[in-house]
Amino acid sequence: MSTFTEEPRPAPSNSRLRFGRIPITGVSPVVDCGRFPAKTVPGEDIEVAATVFREGHDRLGVTAVLYDPDGHAVQRTHLRPLGGGTDRWAGTLRPTSPGNWTFTIEGWGDLYATWHHNAEVKIAAGVDVDLMLAEGIRLFNQAAGQDGRPAENAEVLRRAAGAIADEGRSTEDRLAAGGSEEVLTAVRTHPIRSLVTESQRYPILVERDLAGRGAWYEFFPRSEGAVFDPAAGKWTSGNFTTAAERLPAVADMGFDVIYMPPIHPIGVTNRKGPNNTLTAGPDDPGSPWAIGAAEGGHDAIHPDLGTFEDFDRFVQSAADVGLEVALDLALQCSPDHPWAKEHPEWFTTRVDGTIAYAENPPKKYQDIYPLNFDNDPEGLSEEVLRIVRLWVSHGVKIFRVDNPHTKPVWFWEWLIGEVNATDPDVVFLAEAFTVPAMMHALGRAGFQQSYSYFTWRNRKTEIEEYLTQISHETAAFFRPNFFVNTPDILTEFLQYGGPAAFKIRAVLAATGSPLWGVYAGYELYEHVARPGAEEYIDNEKYEYKARDFAGAEAEGRSLAPYLTRLNHIRRAHPALLDLQNLTVHRSTDDATVVFSKHKENLPAADGSEGTGKDTIIVVVNVDPHSVRECTVSLDLAALGLDPADLNEDGTFWVDDLISGESWRWGEHNYVRLDAHFEPAHILHVRRSS
């Protein structure tokens, strides 16, 4: 894009000036004035916006320019005015590969739009008719001679200038020649610009696909293949070899990441028994998060699970079926961890000389010592970096970090920066259920994704507000992973909602965010809580748990086929794998949630730039106990409908990707969803081609 007019002369020298010739303010996505980069993944549409205005009444154009990591301008997008007197402009950019990208906003005088508007108004009023036509002739001829303008485009402008100059035509025809579709297309693709003003460049960090997209499945390897001997009353632990036998089934359900809790030796001192009791029996395995024993600490493997060679084979087995392994990084220790003896300065010592154990009042974790980064920050930080790099060397490129909000934010910024400087494909997930300020700070510090408040957003208004927040307010620095459950979290909605509740939460998670996850047992509708707690009874954190997944599926007692369908829908529809393209729509029922996700300019089958569109409308009855009927009202503009997509009556076809049914929909639509039969529609808007 270029301009044939002279650039503006510099304003009087004054170091205090902040505005350019055309003011540009409020640029987004900009995180903390550009101190941190906005984050995205390849092929994701990121919304850019700015407030751009000028003096007087001349027309403006605004462009966003995307620069690749080598500094080359690779995309220019015309921003659209949002209206409402805000002077706000918005559009999308789409980086294509990982790396450190940048973007700028350009504001410029739109010479064609200014001329055409003035000419229409004045000529209709009989004012300066010949002058306006003459200015149009000069404008088009000068633009046609502009360096860099394609020959075909220039010829369109020359023909228009000739038609405007033809005094044998009527005034109306001469003006119409300057506003033909051919001319409009020419100036839309190559605007006639003046006074081009550029903002500063702002950073965009593009990370690999699994940093922002993916379906996670969590299991305990010690439970996979564990065997109970009734005669002896003892368990034999599963191991990496038996756990690998479960991997093909997880992959067949369409998951991308297999996540394991800590796999290290477990302490004996203050070991927890079943259901978090304070006294463990001699055969109780203890909590994997109580890391460290005589066999070693964070750089060792629990002997029941196998050796490093066994772990390497497990990682390879996962890769063979298309899964990546995520390992838990829990920076805490059991009292038996080697660090407790070798580095007591890495812990907090109480006045009585004992090391303080972990607490989250009223919860107490007597089997865990939290780390203290204030006594020897350099030594402890370097040791953690060593630990992470050890596991990276064994093929782990994803870490789920336990309770990162209990460690200094500077540490995470340093650690993730050090790791990603040499291994930019390593991903960190923050398990941070805490205040928004801390969760957002961790995202700014470098965490690629985070657990989220989705787990507790169950009512319609809560869900709508949260979906809007994560897609439009915090997406530049906070990527939410919508886990439906965890070993620690079994919400009342799942405890008492029956099978419908499990479907509802799975649909919302799989379609509401590009990232979602489940903890094993979800597909078996496990829902019984420990009395008075929001966590599972007979919790797997403290004991082995054998599950008959295949038997449940064979008897029709499994949600696995439904989860499989959801993951296959996600993979088939690119719109579901972006974060910022979500629009909430209205329904007349207080338990029916409606939202859509829309993506344009999809790549063609040969990989070249295409023009296809993908639009998904999700309608969910979030009351797991009843049938809900309502009218759904759609914001049609958010669906990107083309005239060719519409039937003669203005409706369009939608295909339900769950049931296989099809309907004609329009702006207002009747919906009936029976939670006990099928609580959700996932509708694909059928296109003309």
Side-chain angles (χ1 to χ4, degrees):
M1 191 178 296
S2 52
T3 175
F4 73 83
T5 59
E6 293 184 2
E7 291 302 296
R9 293 183 179 181
S13 178
N14 189 328
S15 62
R16 292 176 297 173
L17 292 177
R18 299 291 186 269
F19 287 111
R21 177 61 185 83
I22 293 177
I24 302 172
T25 65
V27 178
S28 67
V30 176
V31 183
D32 287 1
C33 301
R35 290 174 60 212
F36 303 98
K39 297 192 288 192
T40 189
V41 289
E44 181 178 27
D45 289 329
I46 57 173
E47 182 165 309
V48 294
T51 299
V52 186
F53 54 95
R54 65 170 299 179
E55 82 292 344
H57 301 287
D58 287 357
R59 297 303 173 93
L60 276 177
V62 182
T63 308
V65 186
L66 181 65
Y67 297 90
D68 68 15
D70 294 324
H72 301 131
V74 295
Q75 183 184 354
R76 293 179 180 270
T77 296
H78 291 286
L79 305 190
R80 65 189 183 280
L82 298 183
T86 63
D87 291 313
R88 196 77 179 153
W89 302 70
T92 59
L93 294 173
R94 184 184 296 176
T96 56
S97 60
N100 293 303
W101 296 60
T102 57
F103 77 99
T104 61
I105 301 294
E106 294 176 337
W108 37 275
D110 189 335
L111 296 178
Y112 172 77
T114 298
W115 169 78
H116 192 256
H117 169 74
N118 291 343
E120 283 189 318
V121 173
K122 289 187 175 184
I123 290 174
V127 177
D128 295 337
V129 173
D130 292 336
L131 178 60
M132 295 309 301
L133 294 174
E135 288 185 349
I137 295 167
R138 182 182 65 174
L139 177 68
F140 287 172
N141 281 329
Q142 287 183 337
Q146 174 188 1
D147 290 342
R149 185 172 290 275
E152 184 177 344
N153 187 287
E155 182 58 30
V156 169
L157 299 183
R158 290 193 185 96
R159 286 199 302 268
I164 297 172
D166 185 356
E167 296 182 0
R169 298 187 178 200
S170 67
T171 298
E172 291 75 14
D173 286 346
R174 295 167 70 185
L175 177 61
S180 68
E181 279 299 320
E182 190 178 40
V183 168
L184 292 175
T185 299
V187 298
R188 185 165 50 246
T189 55
H190 295 274
I192 308 173
R193 309 193 304 167
S194 70
L195 307 177
V196 178
T197 304
E198 187 177 37
S199 73
Q200 69 183 76
R201 290 197 186 184
Y202 295 100
I204 299 176
L205 175 60
V206 184
E207 300 172 294
R208 71 178 179 118
D209 205 59
L210 277 180
R213 302 181 176 116
W216 288 50
Y217 188 91
E218 175 182 2
F219 73 15
F220 286 63
R222 72 186 186 187
S223 287
E224 300 302 325
V227 177
F228 181 69
D229 182 350
K234 292 184 178 181
W235 284 88
T236 299
S237 173
N239 53 49
F240 290 132
T241 301
T242 59
E245 297 174 5
R246 175 72 178 147
L247 295 176
V250 174
D252 287 345
M253 284 189 286
F255 289 98
D256 306 295
V257 177
I258 184 72
Y259 154 55
M260 297 185 292
I263 59 173
H264 316 298
I266 298 171
V268 175
T269 301
N270 297 331
R271 176 175 288 190
K272 294 296 185 72
N275 290 309
N276 200 26
T277 56
L278 297 178
T279 304
D283 299 313
D284 288 329
S287 168
W289 282 271
I291 297 170
E295 298 87 355
H298 289 74
D299 54 359
I301 291 175
H302 196 296
D304 286 353
L305 296 177
T307 64
F308 271 96
E309 290 75 16
D310 297 322
F311 178 78
D312 292 342
R313 284 191 290 270
F314 178 87
V315 172
Q316 185 58 54
S317 296
D320 290 343
V321 294
L323 291 168
E324 277 208 37
V325 171
L327 191 62
D328 201 288
L329 179 63
L331 298 185
Q332 58 205 32
C333 303
S334 86
D336 304 317
H337 196 291
W339 290 350
K341 292 182 179 179
E342 298 168 5
H343 293 281
E345 70 276 14
W346 292 352
F347 304 91
T348 298
T349 302
R350 305 174 76 99
V351 69
D352 62 0
T354 61
I355 294 177
Y357 57 74
E359 293 185 77
N360 182 15
K363 292 183 178 181
K364 295 183 178 183
Y365 304 92
Q366 296 91 338
D367 56 341
I368 292 173
Y369 286 166
L371 296 174
N372 184 328
F373 282 81
D374 293 327
N375 298 328
D376 179 21
E378 183 175 356
L380 180 52
S381 297
E382 290 292 344
E383 174 66 356
V384 175
L385 177 60
R386 181 188 72 82
I387 295 295
V388 171
R389 285 183 167 157
L390 168 68
W391 292 105
V392 170
S393 72
H394 284 274
V396 177
K397 296 299 180 69
I398 305 176
F399 293 89
R400 179 269 198 190
V401 179
D402 192 65
N403 288 324
H405 54 288
T406 62
K407 287 80 181 173
V409 177
W410 69 258
F411 164 73
W412 296 117
E413 183 180 1
W414 176 85
L415 178 70
I416 297 172
E418 289 291 309
V419 173
N420 284 162
T422 56
D423 297 276
D425 54 345
V426 174
V427 172
F428 293 85
L429 164 64
E431 187 254 355
F433 296 112
T434 184
V435 295
M438 174 59 82
M439 295 173 73
H440 296 166
L442 292 169
R444 289 178 172 90
F447 276 94
Q448 283 80 8
Q449 51 187 274
S450 176
Y451 281 36
S452 75
Y453 292 127
F454 166 78
T455 315
W456 294 278
R457 299 299 187 256
N458 294 300
R459 294 193 296 270
K460 175 184 177 178
T461 54
E462 295 174 333
I463 294 167
E464 291 177 339
E465 290 171 0
Y466 198 62
L467 289 176
T468 299
Q469 177 186 324
I470 58 99
S471 60
H472 297 293
E473 299 173 18
T474 60
F477 52 85
F478 181 78
R479 293 197 192 106
N481 193 321
F482 279 7
F483 262 83
V484 290
N485 67 328
T486 78
D488 290 316
I489 301 171
L490 176 65
T491 63
E492 289 188 0
F493 190 86
L494 294 177
Q495 291 178 36
Y496 304 111
F502 285 74
K503 282 188 174 183
I504 290 166
R505 297 304 292 176
V507 169
L508 289 171
T511 60
S513 172
L515 291 158
W516 83 296
V518 306
Y519 156 55
Y522 189 86
E523 63 268 54
L524 302 183
Y525 306 105
E526 292 180 1
H527 65 279
V528 180
R530 183 164 56 86
E534 197 181 54
E535 63 181 39
Y536 293 89
I537 197 167
D538 303 327
N539 198 300
E540 195 171 3
K541 287 173 59 176
Y542 309 107
E543 57 188 81
Y544 302 102
K545 188 172 290 293
R547 298 179 175 97
D548 184 4
F549 295 104
E553 189 165 350
E555 296 173 9
R557 297 183 290 104
S558 172
L559 194 62
Y562 198 81
L563 302 183
T564 303
R565 183 64 186 146
L566 292 177
N567 282 329
H568 287 179
I569 289 171
R570 282 166 50 89
R571 290 183 176 180
H573 292 279
L576 292 175
L577 299 182
D578 277 12
L579 179 60
Q580 300 183 42
N581 60 341
L582 187 148
T583 301
V584 173
H585 301 266
R586 293 183 295 112
S587 76
T588 56
D589 175 50
D590 62 6
T592 301
V593 172
V594 188
F595 61 90
S596 67
K597 303 194 85 173
H598 174 71
K599 191 174 181 69
E600 299 193 1
N601 300 321
L602 300 177
D606 60 3
S608 62
E609 184 175 344
T611 58
K613 299 181 179 182
D614 182 40
T615 309
I616 299 293
I617 304 169
V618 181
V619 187
V620 187
N621 169 10
V622 297
D623 177 358
H625 305 290
S626 68
V627 178
R628 309 298 293 212
E629 298 180 72
C630 67
T631 298
V632 167
S633 296
L634 300 174
D635 175 1
L636 297 180
L639 306 182
L641 296 167
D642 295 321
D645 300 325
L646 302 178
N647 302 309
E648 292 182 358
D649 60 357
T651 62
F652 53 93
W653 283 100
V654 294
D655 303 312
D656 192 331
L657 301 177
I658 295 179
S659 70
E661 297 176 273
S662 300
W663 300 282
R664 286 177 180 250
W665 270 39
E667 183 177 3
H668 305 290
N669 311 277
Y670 167 75
V671 168
R672 181 182 187 275
L673 288 169
D674 183 346
H676 300 293
F677 173 67
E678 179 50 63
H681 293 314
I682 301 179
L683 305 175
H684 179 232
V685 175
R686 193 186 303 175
R687 299 291 175 175
S688 58
S689 60

